[in-house]
Amino acid sequence: MDLRLAWTVKHLYPYVYDFESLYNAYLRARRCKRYRAEVLRFSARLEEELITLQNELIHHTFKPGRHREFWIHDPKTRLIMAPPFRDRVVHHALVAVIEPLFERKFITDSYACRVGKGTHAGADRVTEFLKLAQRQWKRVYCLKADVSQYFPSIHHGILKHLVRRTIACSSTLWLIDTIIDSTDDEGDPNPRGLPVGNLTSQLFANVYLNELDQFVKHTLRMRYYVRYMDDFVILHHDKRLLWDTKREIEGFLEDKLSLKLNHKTGVFPISQGIDFLGYRIWPTHRLLRKGSIKRARRGFKKLARDYAEAKIPLDRVKASIMSWLGHCQHANTYRIREKVLGELILVRTAKTGSEQGINEPKNEI
């Protein structure tokens, strides 16, 4: 499917429910999840399931299923709402069609949930801006801000209006509205909130705050601006101007998007380092946040306990360590890596079912 056609033809919806599109969406949705029970059930009846989904989409009878809810605490406490697998297939099919339409409108320096972006690219961009700002000005200040309770605060009516600036296909809008409204409380005249955990929520969240991006770049004309989802930084030499900018942004968010900034928002000299995307960033170097190091230590202690009790294999431990080292390599972390990993001792104290009756030495690392 050539998505470039979707920028010129009037009707987008056939691209969403096309059988090949749904099959490709299924392949993307099952990535890293193919052995989960609901995925195996769907895969066992793949053709029948995809045809059923296709018919539901064609006849506008598709209804989102119930989300599976659970809490995470890393680092903030968040309610994750995971949709059923068949819903994820629909989400992938929809996003594949509409994302390019929005992507061409996004600014370069928005780094969340976009191809070729991410936390490391965002941190690199902040470092680049810090160096440029230091060359331009003797003193540099940073406005560091984030939106309070962002995903739960997204106003459905405003979001639908913003989506309609780009998409005019009535059937595609029906599906988008159906997904947005899937978590509405009955009787609420002004429903809010997108479920964290939906692929569509990531895209819609970027669409929503693209309005802020355009305001900061084109109305306030701030050159050194970087946003990652609901967190953003602005650099400037004029401290008073940054405080004025903060008030301008607060007014814009409240009036146009019905959002508020977190009370921790403030302006400070860059000599303190910028706490952003898991790092503390200076023009010359970058360190891990203290909170990130504490979470890593807690996580490794839990891994050691689970490994000792034979709850997880050694490969799972190695994968977690390599993931953390991947995050560390983007900062000056040699000493802290040695210290944290030096505290990690893995000893198998319980035997797995296959080890019962086998006399073998304990595995140690």
Side-chain angles (χ1 to χ4, degrees), residues 299-361:
F300 288 150
K301 284 180 181 178
K302 186 178 187 305
L303 284 175
R305 289 195 302 270
D306 289 346
Y307 178 77
E309 297 169 7
K311 293 180 178 178
I312 59 172
L314 186 60
D315 287 347
R316 170 78 177 276
V317 180
K318 289 180 178 179
S320 296
I321 292 173
M322 294 307 296
S323 176
W324 183 69
L325 290 177
H327 181 64
C328 290
Q329 72 179 1
H330 293 270
N332 305 82
T333 58
Y334 177 77
R335 290 183 179 178
I336 196 64
R337 275 182 287 162
E338 282 204 329
K339 188 172 182 179
V340 172
L341 293 181
E343 298 169 355
L344 179 61
I345 300 175
L346 301 177
V347 180
R348 181 75 89 186
T349 58
K351 292 183 179 180
T352 62
S354 61
E355 293 172 335
Q356 296 298 324
I358 300 176
N359 186 16
E360 64 181 14

Side-chain angles (χ1 to χ4, degrees), residues 28-191:
R28 292 191 296 273
R30 77 170 189 176
R31 196 173 295 157
C32 301
K33 302 179 180 70
R34 61 190 306 173
Y35 298 114
R36 292 185 180 179
E38 65 170 338
V39 181
L40 290 173
R41 286 194 298 269
F42 191 97
S43 301
R45 303 170 61 246
L46 180 58
E47 186 174 359
E48 182 180 346
E49 291 281 5
L50 292 181
I51 290 174
T52 300
L53 270 181
Q54 185 181 48
N55 287 330
E56 290 179 8
L57 291 172
I58 291 173
H59 299 294
H60 291 198
T61 58
F62 169 75
K63 293 182 180 179
R66 185 174 181 179
H67 290 77
R68 179 172 59 89
E69 299 182 0
F70 58 94
W71 294 90
I72 62 170
H73 309 277
D74 187 23
K76 300 177 183 178
T77 298
R78 300 179 188 273
L79 175 63
I80 304 299
M81 301 177 66
F85 181 73
R86 72 191 309 270
D87 287 19
R88 290 204 297 270
V89 174
V90 174
H91 295 172
H92 275 276
L94 174 64
V95 168
V97 172
I98 68 173
E99 187 173 38
L101 304 176
F102 293 106
E103 179 66 31
R104 61 182 180 171
K105 295 185 175 184
F106 293 159
I107 67 169
T108 300
D109 292 314
S110 166
Y111 285 87
C113 307
R114 296 175 65 192
V115 176
K117 303 290 184 176
T119 56
H120 299 141
D124 290 343
R125 186 62 159 170
V126 171
T127 300
E128 178 187 350
F129 277 170
L130 283 169
K131 292 178 179 178
L132 290 172
Q134 269 200 332
R135 291 178 198 152
Q136 186 175 353
W137 303 308
K138 290 183 178 180
R139 289 184 64 83
V140 182
Y141 294 90
C142 174
L143 167 60
K144 169 69 170 63
D146 67 273
V147 177
S148 178
Q149 295 291 308
Y150 179 47
F151 276 85
S153 301
I154 293 175
H155 191 286
H156 289 190
I158 296 174
L159 174 59
K160 291 176 183 178
H161 171 72
L162 296 177
V163 168
R164 280 160 171 76
R165 289 184 183 176
T166 301
I167 296 174
C169 173
S170 59
S171 292
T172 304
L173 289 173
W174 166 81
L175 179 58
I176 291 172
D177 290 351
T178 298
I179 293 171
I180 292 174
D181 294 337
S182 63
T183 56
D184 280 5
D185 292 329
E186 293 185 9
D188 187 350
N190 293 298

